[in-house]
Amino acid sequence: MALPADQLRQVLSQSLSPDVTTRQNAERALLSSQTSQGHALTVLRLVSSNDAADGPVRQSAAVHFKNMVKKGWAPDPDDEDAKKFLVPSSDRDMIKNNLVELMCTVPPQIQAQCSESISLIAAHDFPQKWDNLLPDLISRFGNPNWAVVNGVLLTANSIFKRFRYVQRSDALYADILYVLQRVQEPLTQLFTTITQQLDAHANNIQELTARLEALRSINRIFYSLNYQDLPEYFEDHMKEWMVGFAKLLEYKNPILVDNDEELTPGPIDNVQVSVVQNLNLYGNKDEEPFLPYLPQFTTLVWNLLMTVTPHTKHDALATISIRFLSSLIGKLMHRKLFEEMGTLREIVGRIVIPNLTLREIDQERFEDDPAEFILSDMESSDTESRRKCTQELLRAMCRQFEVETTSICAEHVNQMLGQFAADKSKWEMKDVAIHLMLGVAIRAESAQFGVSQVNDGINIMDFFSTHVYTELQETDMKVRPMLKATSIKFVSIFRNQFSKEQFCGLLPLLIAHLGSPDVVVHTYAASAIEKMLTSKVDGPNNTKVAKVSGADLKPFLGNLFNALFTIVENWDLNENEYVMKCIMRSLNVAKDDLLDVVSIVLEKLTSALGVVAKNPKNPQYNHFLFESIAVLIRAVCSKDSAHTSAFEHFLFPPFQTILQMDVVEFTPYVFQLLAQILEFRPEGAGLGDGYTSLFPPLLTPTLWERKSNVPALSRLIVAYLGKGAKDIVPHLMGILGVFQKLVSSKANEQFAFDLLRAIVMYMPQEAFMPRMKDIFQILLMKLQHGKTPKFVGLVTHFFALFIGKFGSQGYLDQLNQIQPGLGLMLLGQVWIPRLQSASPTRLEAKTQVVGLTKLLCETPALLADTNGQQIWSQILASAVKIVISPDSHLTGVTDDDNDNDAEIGYDASFSLLHFAKRPAVDAFPEVQDAGAALAKSMQTICASHPGVFAPLIQQGLSVDPKLSSGFQSLCQKSGVHLA
């Protein structure tokens, strides 16, 4: 029931209480009433209150309303929990009709919450279900209150952002057209008007700041509306926008510049960034109407770069401006703008080198905020920095002017290295020289696989041995640490250019740098080693093989693990994901040599696990920690399953602690590792006491309500069924209850079928057969009301498995007792159409062929009439299609799995542990070749029923000549002759 206004005001006030109990009671009261009709409207009335004393309550109400919208406006239909927060449909029109007006009348802090609420609703309802939103916003473009104008512009910007970075579609273009028809003209007029007003208010900081803020939002809206294609209106009105952009790039006003501010950009900086982003967008599109303006804007952006300071506040302006120049200089069509040697020298001398040079802020970050430094500097980081953008500029220059750029940079490199040689305190010069080389030497690279092509005019190995190697040989870790980090980065980036022998020579030096007290240095060392261990060389038959083998790594293992775990066990340092990833990768490469160190490594990993479980902070670190444990389990137990008892002894105590403390971030990992150990238990050993006592709590409904738990928990239940199905027969009803819950959700139906297939494969037949009618009814209900291609694939896979295990008559009997003739009807209307539209692959393909073969050979009902005979022919055609299709991979039943190439890391929805993945299980290992078994079965039934099946075979295969010729080849290969 909705709370009365006075009571709601009191509850919202209590939700701000410092007392935990009071606050939690208030939050529960809000939660219980938020789906009540009228509650949202009462909240908005409180938000609109003008009582000054209500300030904190109004803010709390605005946040509460935003959260209601976020959870309850358009909840995931598969998320049962989300449906509890549904905003009543009776309130929705009233909310939408009043929200824009409310946003325009509240203070700025509350306005921000209202604006976000509008954007959240618009993401679902706009434009189809909210056609008055845009007129409402546009009508306030001329409001005399700049807080209102900026509020509606920020909201419009937030709504239109969705036009960027999404796949093109007719629906997207329809939405963009709808918006353009209404906003393009008033937006252009507003842009022109405000740009012209800047000079009139040159001495009024408040008026200027408000207008520049509005211009920045207008520019961002312009960016969104032009992102997919250049609209006709903007093409026709290009001049107004370009004149305005030029004015903004040249705009200067000392009253808006705070020379003492080094971190936060000023209003002019922000609007200039938004202008250059638009220029960059047009420059990348090569739009013809924009080309006449290019020389002017190239000069203007160049001039901007000449004036930006090295301070952090100008980082965004510097990086986007450098990106704009890069986008032009790298294209043949703009070659004439830059081809003068003097221009290229100017770019290197006045833009490249200043933006590659270490700044005071960089040195401070290196020492005081290493995580931030690494984020902006490391090779595979997505964060844009001046250095990265500048190196991209050099690469763009090399695409058009490689010889000239290389020559100019070589002059600077030699000069700077000479300065360093004369005075070692000028190490920054050498640092810039190495970064210049990194910029011009690389022609092609990827973050995952490193440099694949280098500049022919540069001898990388000669530069390395002369200038980089010497830095790595310096044993005093306090000497030039930033230069050490750069040198290690050089090794990491050019890892593919080093031979195995060179890397093995470098490895002791990199291990030594793991002992550096500087976080950046030992992080770069760990990352370089990890990347080297994934580096590949050409192998036999056009394959790629690991450059460094376990045997190559073995002599260094002791020192490597000592150094890595010394960092892990230094509790004064933050959890270092790069170090833990290096541990994971080293364990995987050394897997054949881990038996001697397994107990000490496992002890150190469980110790680290105990520490982070108390307060999980770094999800990537945690993921690599669990992956490292998974690598150990796989490497050791795959050789000797008896070692599972040692892992249980080590890991059960911390795992039980995690489950008892309900560390939600870790429970999915624990379930996966428990499943992995259980799957490695020796055959016939049963479940053991630990696993037996753990099973009943796994069926607790609350555990399955967490989406992140479901994949791991279902995997664990499957492992239980695989190793001790007889022991958990008493829990069958609980497992089927879980199955029924999962199969009702589109998001979880695949896990429901994992459980169902495991029940059929492993449980005693007499335990589950009495329940099969109920199971089939559940599946048929879902087929009737929620049929999707994915569900049809899952259910037909299960049908094939069931027939393969228990025969076609068992399948028909189960279905026919629900409705006579249902089995054949499903074959004709569901199963065969699925196989005709999409062929299964690998083990599912094998299961289908085995099941279909039994249907063909064991189902006399199919021969009773012409309809049944037609279905028989279609079944044969489907089976042959699977067998002869190269995409089925029937002969290679497991997925190719390359641990080194896999993208391993944390995923917010569910983090699958790569090294704990369940190996593919063949439901029919006794059938070595499903295709040959099909051919031989056809031979048998043709021989036992002369003249009956030959016409049906011909009828089935005649639909496609490939089927007929493929079946003949299959028969010849299998040594089969059909009578």
Side-chain angles (χ1 to χ4, degrees):
M1 193 174 81
L3 296 171
D6 289 343
Q7 191 178 344
L8 179 59
R9 182 182 282 106
Q10 185 181 356
V11 170
L12 286 164
S13 178
Q14 290 169 347
S15 72
L16 303 171
S17 169
D19 179 66
V20 175
T21 307
T22 305
R23 193 168 65 247
Q24 287 177 342
N25 288 337
E27 287 166 356
R28 275 194 289 270
L30 290 172
L31 207 60
S32 64
S33 59
Q34 70 181 43
T35 54
S36 306
Q37 186 176 334
H39 174 75
L41 299 173
T42 309
V43 173
L44 290 181
R45 287 189 197 101
L46 274 182
V47 173
S48 66
S49 161
N50 286 321
D51 188 344
D54 270 355
V57 170
R58 292 175 71 191
Q59 179 73 20
S60 175
V63 172
H64 172 58
F65 178 78
K66 180 194 70 180
N67 291 336
M68 283 173 58
V69 168
K70 187 182 285 186
K71 281 188 175 180
W73 199 271
D76 182 348
D78 284 329
D79 189 341
E80 294 299 322
D81 290 337
K83 292 175 186 174
K84 299 173 189 172
F85 307 114
L86 196 65
V87 175
S89 55
S90 55
D91 292 350
R92 293 182 175 224
D93 285 343
M94 185 76 81
I95 289 169
K96 289 189 286 190
N97 288 334
N98 291 279
L99 200 48
V100 173
E101 176 66 34
L102 176 63
M103 181 192 70
C104 295
T105 58
V106 293
Q109 305 93 320
I110 299 175
Q111 188 184 70
Q113 302 296 335
C114 293
S115 174
E116 192 174 344
S117 298
I118 293 171
S119 301
L120 290 166
I121 297 171
H124 183 258
D125 284 15
F126 177 78
Q128 284 81 6
K129 298 179 185 175
W130 200 356
D131 57 2
N132 63 326
L133 172 60
L134 208 47
D136 265 6
L137 294 172
I138 293 168
S139 68
R140 290 165 171 85
F141 279 6
N143 194 294
N145 183 342
W146 281 99
V148 171
V149 176
N150 278 314
V152 296
L153 287 171
L154 278 170
T155 305
N157 177 38
S158 180
I159 294 166
F160 302 153
K161 271 183 185 175
R162 69 186 176 96
F163 297 153
R164 311 176 202 169
Y165 323 121
V166 288
Q167 196 167 354
R168 296 182 175 201
S169 66
D170 291 343
L172 174 69
Y173 277 99
D175 286 353
I176 294 173
L177 182 62
Y178 171 93
V179 170
L180 283 167
Q181 288 169 343
R182 288 155 181 79
V183 84
Q184 57 195 11
E185 188 172 345
L187 190 75
T188 303
Q189 290 169 353
L190 186 62
F191 174 74
T192 308
T193 302
I194 300 176
T195 310
Q196 290 168 351
Q197 290 173 352
L198 292 178
D199 296 333
H201 298 278
N203 298 313
N204 189 323
I205 292 178
Q206 192 174 351
E207 291 288 332
L208 281 175
T209 303
R211 283 167 172 77
L212 288 169
E213 186 182 330
L215 285 168
R216 181 186 181 276
S217 295
I218 291 169
N219 287 341
R220 301 308 291 141
I221 292 169
F222 181 90
Y223 186 87
S224 298
L225 298 179
N226 284 268
Y227 189 87
Q228 296 291 344
D229 277 320
L230 172 59
E232 185 179 344
Y233 180 90
F234 290 124
E235 184 177 338
D236 295 341
H237 293 79
M238 181 79 71
K239 185 176 180 182
E240 291 104 301
W241 286 93
M242 296 304 127
V243 167
F245 286 167
K247 178 171 182 172
L248 293 174
L249 289 183
E250 292 180 295
Y251 186 73
K252 291 181 177 60
N253 194 328
I255 70 167
L256 293 175
V257 178
D258 181 356
N259 290 318
D260 295 327
E261 175 60 56
E262 296 184 358
L263 301 177
T264 308
I268 299 176
D269 302 326
N270 285 328
V271 83
Q272 288 178 337
V273 167
S274 67
V275 169
V276 183
Q277 283 170 329
N278 286 329
L279 299 179
N280 200 27
L281 180 70
Y282 272 23
N284 282 320
K285 286 180 179 296
D286 300 327
E287 296 287 4
E288 198 171 319
F290 178 63
L291 294 180
Y293 300 96
L294 257 182
Q296 177 193 11
F297 282 120
T298 304
T299 303
L300 289 174
V301 172
W302 177 290
N303 292 340
L304 262 187
L305 277 170
M306 294 301 102
T307 60
V308 295
T309 69
H311 298 314
T312 305
K313 67 179 180 181
H314 283 144
D315 282 356
L317 187 54
T319 54
I320 189 62
S321 299
I322 293 168
R323 284 231 176 273
F324 174 66
L325 290 183
S326 298
S327 72
L328 302 183
I329 203 168
K331 292 177 181 173
L332 182 61
M333 64 188 293
H334 303 311
R335 185 182 173 92
K336 286 197 174 298
L337 288 172
F338 304 98
E339 64 185 358
E340 295 292 331
M341 195 69 172
T343 304
L344 296 174
R345 286 189 181 280
E346 282 267 299
I347 293 173
V348 174
R350 301 190 63 187
I351 294 175
V352 170
I353 290 174
N355 284 289
L356 284 180
T357 303
L358 282 167
R359 303 168 297 168
E360 188 179 337
I361 185 70
D362 298 321
Q363 299 190 39
E364 288 172 2
R365 277 185 189 148
F366 183 91
E367 294 172 7
D368 304 329
D369 192 357
E372 182 62 31
F373 183 92
I374 291 164
L375 195 63
S376 65
D377 185 67
M378 190 172 259
E379 148 202 17
S380 56
S381 165
D382 291 331
T383 308
E384 286 196 341
S385 67
R386 294 195 192 209
R387 281 185 150 191
K388 283 186 183 173
C389 291
T390 304
Q391 287 174 321
E392 284 300 319
L393 173 61
L394 280 172
R395 283 168 206 168
M397 291 171 70
C398 285
R399 281 196 288 276
Q400 293 300 323
F401 312 102
E402 185 174 73
V403 173
E404 298 90 336
T405 304
T406 304
S407 168
I408 294 165
C409 288
E411 292 172 18
H412 285 283
V413 167
N414 290 332
Q415 179 190 348
M416 288 185 278
L417 289 174
Q419 287 178 273
F420 171 73
D423 183 355
K424 293 291 191 286
S425 68
K426 293 184 177 178
W427 58 268
E428 292 100 329
M429 291 291 100
K430 185 172 183 178
D431 185 82
V432 178
I434 295 175
H435 278 92
L436 269 176
M437 290 298 287
L438 289 172
V440 294
I442 300 169
R443 277 188 187 165
E445 71 169 333
S446 76
Q448 188 179 356
F449 299 114
V451 175
S452 55
Q453 198 177 354
V454 295
N455 183 337
D456 294 334
I458 294 175
N459 188 327
I460 292 293
M461 285 300 122
D462 182 56
F463 182 84
F464 168 76
S465 56
T466 309
H467 302 293
V468 179
Y469 189 58
T470 51
E471 292 300 326
L472 297 177
Q473 286 178 305
E474 170 59 68
T475 55
D476 187 345
M477 292 298 151
K478 292 178 182 175
V479 173
R480 301 185 291 277
M482 292 192 83
L483 197 49
K484 288 182 185 297
T486 296
S487 301
I488 295 169
K489 185 167 71 170
F490 186 96
V491 170
S492 178
I493 288 172
F494 290 110
R495 56 190 176 274
N496 290 333
Q497 283 62 50
F498 289 94
S499 67
K500 177 199 292 194
E501 292 70 27
Q502 286 172 317
F503 173 62
C504 290
L506 275 171
L507 193 51
L509 299 179
L510 293 174
I511 292 172
H513 283 80
L514 289 172
S516 168
D518 289 289
V519 173
V520 175
V521 174
H522 66 236
T523 298
Y524 280 21
S527 179
I529 294 168
E530 189 271 329
K531 285 184 164 69
M532 277 287 195
L533 294 178
T534 65
S535 193
K536 299 288 187 67
V537 291
D538 291 330
N541 304 320
N542 295 321
T543 59
K544 292 281 186 183
V545 295
K547 183 183 289 185
V548 181
S549 67
D552 299 322
L553 189 60
K554 187 176 181 180
F556 308 102
L557 274 183
N559 289 339
L560 177 59
F561 283 136
N562 280 336
L564 290 168
F565 280 110
T566 299
I567 300 170
V568 170
E569 291 170 348
N570 185 342
W571 310 126
D572 293 332
L573 299 174
N574 288 325
E575 294 143 15
N576 193 318
E577 65 204 67
Y578 301 96
V579 170
M580 191 54 75
K581 190 176 187 182
C582 185
I583 290 172
M584 174 198 78
R585 196 71 70 187
S586 305
L587 288 169
N588 185 52
V589 173
K591 51 183 169 249
D592 294 334
D593 301 301
L594 290 177
L595 275 176
D596 295 339
V597 297
V598 63
S599 28
I600 184 68
V601 171
L602 189 56
E603 187 180 328
K604 289 181 179 296
L605 290 172
T606 50
S607 171
L609 178 57
V611 173
V612 295
K614 294 171 187 170
N615 182 21
K617 289 181 291 191
N618 184 332
Q620 288 287 9
Y621 174 89
N622 299 335
H623 187 89
F624 295 133
L625 170 56
F626 281 102
E627 288 280 14
S628 299
I629 297 171
V631 172
L632 267 185
I633 295 168
R634 189 173 83 169
V636 174
C637 296
S638 60
K639 283 195 167 49
D640 184 354
S641 58
H643 288 294
T644 51
S645 57
F647 281 100
E648 289 176 30
H649 172 75
F650 259 109
L651 294 173
F652 266 42
F655 285 180
Q656 285 170 330
T657 303
I658 288 167
L659 296 177
Q660 285 162 2
M661 290 168 58
D662 194 24
V663 184
V664 294
E665 298 92 338
F666 286 0
T667 48
Y669 291 126
V670 167
F671 294 141
Q672 289 177 81
L673 293 180
L674 285 170
Q676 185 189 25
I677 298 168
L678 181 53
E679 285 157 0
F680 276 121
R681 274 181 75 85
E683 290 301 322
L687 295 176
D689 294 340
Y691 276 104
T692 302
S693 61
L694 179 65
F695 188 80
L698 297 180
L699 301 179
T700 308
T702 50
L703 271 183
W704 294 87
E705 284 170 8
R706 271 190 213 135
K707 283 193 282 191
S708 59
N709 276 348
V710 170
L713 265 177
S714 55
R715 155 88 186 280
L716 180 53
I717 301 295
V718 168
Y720 268 97
L721 287 163
K723 285 295 178 180
K726 290 180 182 175
D727 298 332
I728 57 173
V729 166
H731 300 286
L732 176 60
M733 292 307 294
I735 299 172
L736 289 176
V738 169
F739 158 76
Q740 190 167 1
K741 177 180 172 63
L742 297 182
V743 84
S744 66
S745 156
K746 281 183 190 173
N748 294 327
E749 58 194 13
Q750 71 206 67
F751 307 115
F753 279 95
D754 287 344
L755 294 181
L756 190 53
R757 288 195 297 270
I759 289 170
V760 166
M761 286 171 64
Y762 303 121
M763 264 208 169
Q765 188 175 341
E766 63 275 11
F768 67 82
M769 270 301 180
R771 302 289 167 196
M772 280 314 300
K773 181 182 176 184
D774 297 333
I775 292 170
F776 273 103
Q777 282 181 319
I778 291 168
L779 298 179
L780 292 172
M781 188 72 71
K782 182 78 184 275
L783 264 180
Q784 190 176 350
H785 298 293
K787 187 168 80 168
T788 62
K790 178 186 168 191
F791 184 79
V792 169
L794 290 166
V795 80
T796 52
H797 181 194
F798 172 69
F799 288 165
L801 174 70
F802 188 84
I803 292 169
K805 291 293 181 187
F806 307 111
S808 63
Q809 199 56 49
Y811 158 81
L812 291 173
D813 289 345
Q814 289 290 344
L815 290 169
N816 290 342
Q817 65 177 316
I818 297 171
Q819 179 186 320
L822 184 58
L824 290 185
M825 186 177 79
L826 284 174
L827 267 169
Q829 295 181 12
V830 176
W831 193 344
I832 292 169
R834 180 259 159 147
L835 295 177
Q836 288 171 338
S837 64
S839 272
T841 59
R842 302 188 187 279
L843 284 174
E844 191 203 335
K846 179 180 179 182
T847 299
Q848 285 283 0
V849 173
V850 171
L852 294 173
T853 301
K854 286 205 170 187
L855 269 172
L856 291 167
C857 300
E858 298 177 4
T859 320
L862 285 173
L863 305 177
D865 56 30
T866 53
N867 178 51
Q869 290 169 7
Q870 185 180 358
I871 291 174
W872 192 96
S873 296
Q874 289 172 333
I875 293 170
L876 176 65
S878 299
V880 172
K881 178 186 170 189
I882 295 170
V883 171
I884 67 172
S885 169
D887 297 331
S888 298
H889 300 290
L890 259 183
T891 52
V893 291
T894 55
D895 290 300
D896 292 333
D897 195 13
N898 195 317
D899 292 334
N900 285 344
D901 290 347
E903 282 286 349
I904 299 170
Y906 168 76
D907 184 307
S909 55
F910 170 67
S911 287
L912 177 72
L913 288 174
H914 174 82
F915 291 106
K917 276 198 298 194
R918 182 174 184 242
V921 176
D922 187 352
F924 301 101
E926 69 279 6
V927 181
Q928 300 218 333
D929 185 335
L934 170 67
K936 287 171 184 172
S937 297
M938 289 299 97
Q939 182 182 38
T940 303
I941 62 166
C942 284
S944 59
H945 298 79
V948 175
F949 286 100
L952 297 179
I953 293 172
Q954 188 176 359
Q955 177 187 335
L957 302 181
S958 63
V959 294
D960 184 348
K962 288 181 186 173
L963 293 179
S964 185
S965 59
F967 185 63
Q968 286 176 3
S969 300
L970 175 65
C971 290
Q972 289 169 3
K973 186 175 143 192
S974 307
V976 164
H977 175 69
L978 298 187

